[in-house]
Amino acid sequence: MNTLVGRTFLSTEVKGHSLVQGSRVSVAFPEKGKVTVQGGCNHLFGTVVDEPGDKLVITDMGGTDMGCDQPLMQQDEWLTKFLTSKPVWALTGDKLVLTGTNEELTLVDRKVADPDRKLTGTKWVVDTLLEGDSASSIPQGAEAHLTFTDDGKVTGNTGCNALTGSAKVSGNKIVFSAVATTKMLCAGAAGELEKAVLPILEGEVTMKIDANRLELKQAGGKGLQLKATA
């Protein structure tokens, strides 16, 4: 099992089951005894029991409680059932194969299948709001996005107003300062999204890029998850 620790794998083929069109399964082993999973809806997580043999033993599966389309919710249920059924695992180089009774999931190391995007020059669109260990969808009908530049600037939109500011990057930290916006007043979803986005763009935040996903998180646990679109 130690050969899986610290690695993330993305699905390339599924036998015996059909994934929701346009979705992909991600299975990560961030540390010994832990697994995190995503199939297009909620973030799932569980405990990996290190037992002898070739079976992947996962217990205590749980997850966030985001509202998604029914097919993706059902896919979360299938993933939970499959991964807790003690599938046989086999790792060959960058390929991980999980084989259950009637289904087989083939995955490839994420660094090979989907390399990390560059922070700068990429349009990052907010799609998830974070509060500690909880995650929630953004208000429907609004879009917020950020673009970082090589000279330490950030531009974008809060969902309501255009924004500009300073974003100094050092390692896995970004220090935001002098963030200014236009002065439109927005009600409904646009206003709600702006109220969630702007407080994150203050002072130092922790940054994490995982393939096409960017996470920005304040020390107190509030944060944003964003997806690369260009």
Side-chain angles (χ1 to χ4, degrees):
M1 295 302 301
N2 289 337
T3 55
L4 301 177
V5 175
R7 302 180 73 175
T8 298
F9 298 87
L10 299 178
S11 63
T12 57
E13 183 181 9
V14 183
K15 295 179 181 178
H17 182 85
S18 296
L19 295 182
V20 175
Q21 186 173 4
S23 69
R24 198 174 198 180
V25 174
S26 169
V27 180
F29 303 87
E31 58 184 272
K32 188 173 182 179
K34 300 294 183 182
V35 63
T36 61
V37 183
Q38 192 168 23
C41 182
N42 283 287
H43 297 269
L44 309 175
F45 44 82
T47 299
V48 180
V49 181
D50 193 1
E51 293 188 356
D54 58 359
K55 290 191 175 182
L56 179 64
V57 181
I58 297 176
T59 62
D60 303 323
M61 283 287 285
T64 55
D65 192 22
M66 293 173 59
C68 305
D69 292 340
Q70 191 63 26
L72 288 175
M73 300 274 288
Q74 292 172 343
Q75 187 154 286
D76 280 354
E77 293 174 4
W78 169 76
L79 273 171
T80 299
K81 183 177 179 180
F82 175 73
L83 291 173
T84 56
S85 68
K86 299 183 180 180
V88 173
W89 70 279
L91 179 67
T92 306
D94 293 317
K95 184 171 75 171
L96 172 65
V97 179
L98 303 178
T99 305
T101 303
N102 300 306
E103 299 147 329
E104 182 177 274
L105 177 61
T106 300
L107 309 101
V108 173
D109 191 294
R110 195 271 304 160
K111 292 181 179 179
V112 175
D114 194 8
D116 290 343
R117 308 300 191 269
K118 284 187 61 179
L119 175 68
T120 58
T122 301
K123 181 180 178 181
W124 299 98
V125 176
V126 179
D127 64 7
T128 306
L129 307 178
L130 303 175
E131 180 74 51
D133 292 330
S134 300
S136 60
S137 303
I138 65 170
Q140 289 189 348
E143 178 182 294
H145 60 85
L146 302 173
T147 301
F148 299 86
T149 64
D150 289 325
D151 59 353
K153 305 295 183 184
V154 62
T155 60
N157 193 286
T158 65
C160 174
N161 285 284
L163 70 86
T164 59
S166 173
K168 301 297 185 182
V169 180
S170 178
N172 70 333
K173 304 290 186 181
I174 302 177
V175 177
F176 290 98
S177 61
V179 174
T181 69
T182 51
K183 301 302 180 182
M184 289 179 58
L185 296 177
C186 298
E192 290 177 27
L193 184 55
E194 179 171 270
K195 289 178 181 178
V197 169
L198 279 180
I200 309 304
L201 309 182
E202 296 178 358
E204 184 178 271
V205 303
T206 299
M207 168 192 70
K208 181 172 69 174
I209 297 178
D210 188 5
N212 67 338
R213 305 284 300 173
L214 168 65
E215 180 179 283
L216 303 176
K217 207 165 190 179
Q218 293 273 358
K222 288 189 176 182
L224 307 169
Q225 289 183 343
L226 308 93
K227 184 176 182 178
T229 61

